[in-house]
Amino acid sequence: MTMENNKKQCFICNQDRIPYLCVGCSKNFCIKDFVNHRIILNQELHHIIDDYKQFKERFNEERPNPHDISLINQIEQWKIDSIEKITQKAKECTEIVTKSSQTSYDNMVKKYDDLNEQIKQSQNEDEFNEINLNYFRNELKKMTEELNNPPDASIQQDSQPFISGISIVSLEKRLKFNEWKENAITVAGGNREGPALNQLKYPMGIFIDKNKNIFIADNFNDRIVEWKYDAKEGQIIAGTNKQGNRLNQLNFPTDVIVDQQNHSIIIADQRNRRVIQWLDQKQQVLIHNVDCFGLAMDKHGFLYVSDYKKNEVRRWKMGEYIEGVVVAGRNGNGNQLNQLNYPTFIFVDEDQSVYVSDTNNHRVMKWRQGATEGRIVAGGNGKGINLNQLSSPYGVIVDDLGQIYVAATGNDRITRWCEGKEAGEIVVGGNGQGSQSNQLTFPMGLSFDHEGNLYVGDYHNNRIQKFEIIL
């Protein structure tokens, strides 16, 4: 057998070389690229170790102290009110809460110590591959979710002749998702299309601040308007000089966000191909030559912009607007998991994962930080009206429970999707096109206020609808 017969194509350089097989990814490498591959794996392991250290620091900060739990206070108050007759019962319930809390903590410590030991052993023995790294990542994700969502409890009273007995009832038994009233309240516009201060013309992106003031990308009026809470008309805060490309003009703005740290307004000025900032009526172009559509800002102050022509989302550090970093897309127009087709509105969660309305693919994609491809979290089953489908999705937001809300523009409804589920559910709209209070026509922007009320930019009805949460 000749030496040539022993050669295989290297996964990296595509040259025929003596192969070195990586068991973790099942790919062949030449010796040079195999060494580099191991270096990359080693770097990933160090990143995971750093994440574990950060988790441990946070975990130690949140170590449970049963004496501070409100349930203990309720139990003690119940004991005082019932005096001697219920002292023993109070003691029993206190022990349940204390033991449960300590048990949860002990279990978490054991999980952490076991996995930490496995990581150290893998690092010391240099015996690890992609399979090990994926396992470590998934276990850390599970522990983080467990830490973020600790089991809750409440008091359940039992009627007795002269005292009420108590027991501990887990919150998990009564957890339910939010619901909203079927009929909305018009909180901006709704007076047909037009340029007057009580009118809108095809509103798109919306932003709700902590005072429930509504900032609207008033698309065809080439302006940004702010409607104060309960106001009868808005006020123009950007684009007061008709359509144009001067600094004090806008041309077809699609989205707006408020940087609440410096009270500036950041606008996707689409047809001027720029992202512009307005601060105290002074304008500054942040990003030039970008076919922008959606905007988002994470908790660290990074700015995210979707480019519907390059089919990508980029992230910029505030104050540094040179090239930015591609965080979603970058592989041309298409429907593969590493591609996008006309990305519009975006949302960034606490973990800096980017949710993208992949409009022409009729799906919503989630790209984790540093990922090379996304994951379908809504739609992805072709354009349609079924609950497992979307039709031209635009607005997208995610609540504190990780539930994804999508403005299915072609379906005239807002749907909620749980990540990993095959279908969504209608939360508002879905009653056909129309201008009634329970109808939407091409909904676009979405936002929540701090109370959980849902706001929808009702594009073709030239209004902003507020669906009040049912408490």
Side-chain angles (χ1 to χ4, degrees):
M1 181 178 292
T2 64
M3 195 169 180
E4 289 295 326
N5 293 334
N6 293 329
K7 294 183 178 181
K8 290 186 179 180
Q9 189 179 64
C10 173
F11 177 73
I12 299 296
C13 67
N14 296 322
Q15 300 296 316
D16 288 335
R17 296 286 187 268
I18 295 175
Y20 290 83
L21 177 66
C22 174
V23 178
C25 64
S26 300
K27 295 182 174 65
N28 289 306
F29 300 88
C30 66
I31 182 62
K32 177 182 176 181
D33 289 325
F34 184 74
V35 171
N36 290 335
H37 183 62
R38 293 298 301 176
I39 291 173
I40 292 172
L41 292 180
N42 195 58
Q43 290 172 344
E44 290 187 23
L45 178 62
H46 281 289
H47 285 311
I48 293 174
I49 291 172
D50 289 340
D51 289 343
Y52 267 80
K53 289 179 180 177
Q54 293 177 13
F55 176 85
K56 183 63 181 296
E57 290 175 0
R58 181 184 169 196
F59 180 62
N60 287 336
E61 290 174 359
E62 299 188 16
R63 178 169 181 163
N65 182 357
H67 300 292
D68 294 334
I69 300 176
S70 61
L71 291 175
I72 303 298
N73 295 332
Q74 294 180 52
I75 292 168
E76 289 303 312
Q77 185 61 53
W78 173 84
K79 182 176 67 173
I80 293 171
D81 293 341
S82 302
I83 314 175
E84 295 180 357
K85 293 181 181 180
I86 57 171
T87 300
Q88 184 59 37
K89 184 67 174 178
K91 181 180 178 182
E92 293 172 1
C93 290
T94 300
E95 290 175 352
I96 291 173
V97 174
T98 304
K99 183 177 180 181
S100 175
S101 180
Q102 190 60 48
T103 299
S104 296
Y105 177 77
D106 291 341
N107 289 339
M108 187 69 77
V109 169
K110 186 178 185 304
K111 288 181 183 178
Y112 176 84
D113 289 341
D114 290 345
L115 286 166
N116 196 38
E117 185 61 31
Q118 292 180 47
I119 292 176
K120 288 180 180 178
Q121 183 177 350
S122 295
Q123 185 180 26
N124 292 336
E125 297 177 358
D126 196 23
E127 289 286 340
F128 56 89
N129 52 46
E130 285 88 346
I131 297 173
N132 306 114
L133 299 184
N134 286 334
Y135 171 74
F136 294 148
R137 287 194 195 95
N138 290 334
E139 290 303 309
L140 178 58
K141 180 181 177 182
K142 290 178 184 177
M143 290 195 299
T144 302
E145 291 175 351
E146 188 174 341
L147 185 61
N148 289 337
N149 301 284
D152 206 344
S154 63
I155 297 296
Q156 175 175 291
Q157 293 191 358
D158 302 313
S159 297
Q160 293 185 8
F162 56 93
I163 62 171
S164 295
I166 61 174
S167 59
I168 305 301
V169 179
S170 173
L171 179 63
E172 294 174 356
K173 294 181 180 179
R174 51 189 176 86
L175 180 66
K176 69 182 186 72
F177 296 132
N178 290 335
E179 296 179 357
W180 292 268
K181 294 180 180 179
E182 181 181 5
N183 295 297
I185 302 170
T186 300
V187 291
N191 299 298
R192 298 184 179 180
E193 67 177 66
L197 291 179
N198 70 339
Q199 293 178 307
L200 298 170
K201 191 171 183 180
Y202 303 129
M204 297 190 78
I206 56 178
F207 183 95
I208 315 297
D209 71 9
K210 60 184 179 181
N211 297 316
K212 296 186 183 178
N213 301 319
I214 310 168
F215 296 80
I216 308 165
D218 194 7
N219 194 250
F220 273 50
N221 280 326
D222 303 297
R223 66 190 185 185
I224 305 298
V225 292
E226 178 186 4
W227 286 63
K228 298 288 188 182
Y229 178 64
D230 273 349
K232 300 301 181 184
E233 62 181 31
Q235 61 185 67
I236 302 171
I237 58 172
T240 58
N241 295 281
K242 299 183 179 181
Q243 185 182 100
N245 60 8
R246 298 196 304 270
L247 277 179
N248 63 349
Q249 293 179 308
L250 298 173
N251 190 346
F252 208 72
T254 52
D255 204 3
V256 57
I257 58 175
V258 179
D259 184 351
Q260 299 186 71
Q261 290 186 346
N262 60 18
H263 306 290
S264 69
I265 311 299
I266 300 175
I267 305 163
D269 190 10
Q270 189 185 89
R271 288 186 179 168
N272 282 326
R273 300 189 67 245
R274 65 190 183 186
V275 175
I276 190 168
Q277 180 185 55
W278 285 58
L279 177 61
D280 296 330
Q281 291 304 309
K282 295 180 181 179
Q283 303 85 33
Q284 175 188 3
V285 177
L286 302 182
I287 305 169
H288 296 268
N289 302 319
V290 58
D291 293 296
C292 51
F293 197 109
L295 302 174
M297 184 175 290
D298 67 21
K299 63 182 180 181
H300 303 292
F302 287 98
L303 178 64
Y304 298 72
V305 184
S306 64
D307 188 316
Y308 66 94
K309 285 190 177 180
K310 289 184 177 178
N311 295 292
E312 65 183 23
V313 178
R314 285 182 181 263
R315 181 184 71 199
W316 278 267
K317 184 177 181 180
M318 293 298 285
E320 299 179 9
Y321 302 102
I322 300 175
E323 292 186 3
V325 177
V326 177
V327 294
R330 81 168 67 83
N331 295 295
N333 183 325
N335 61 6
Q336 301 301 309
L337 292 180
N338 65 348
Q339 295 178 306
L340 299 169
N341 186 352
Y342 201 84
T344 54
F345 289 107
I346 54 179
F347 181 90
V348 183
D349 68 13
E350 289 289 309
D351 298 324
Q352 294 181 293
S353 293
V354 181
Y355 296 78
V356 187
S357 272
D358 192 9
T359 300
N360 285 350
N361 280 326
H362 309 290
R363 66 188 186 185
V364 174
M365 303 291 290
K366 177 181 178 180
W367 289 64
R368 291 175 61 100
Q369 185 181 14
T372 57
E373 63 179 33
R375 183 167 68 252
I376 300 173
V377 292
N381 296 296
K383 180 180 180 180
I385 62 173
N386 296 322
L387 288 179
N388 69 339
Q389 294 177 305
L390 293 172
S391 177
S392 301
Y394 276 83
V396 57
I397 50 176
V398 182
D399 66 16
D400 294 336
L401 295 175
Q403 313 305 310
I404 305 151
Y405 298 79
V406 186
T409 302
N411 298 134
D412 304 300
R413 66 194 186 194
I414 312 303
T415 54
R416 174 170 55 202
W417 297 71
C418 300
E419 188 173 344
K421 299 293 185 181
E422 295 183 357
E425 61 176 328
I426 301 171
V427 291
V428 296
N431 298 303
Q433 284 190 4
S435 58
Q436 301 300 311
S437 60
N438 67 341
Q439 293 178 308
L440 300 168
T441 303
F442 297 148
M444 284 278 183
L446 294 179
S447 190
F448 287 120
D449 63 24
H450 68 274
E451 293 177 351
N453 300 307
L454 176 62
Y455 296 74
V456 181
D458 195 6
Y459 185 74
H460 267 281
N461 284 323
N462 301 291
R463 65 189 183 182
I464 309 299
Q465 296 292 85
K466 175 184 176 181
F467 291 87
E468 294 182 311
I469 191 169
I470 300 174
L471 301 175

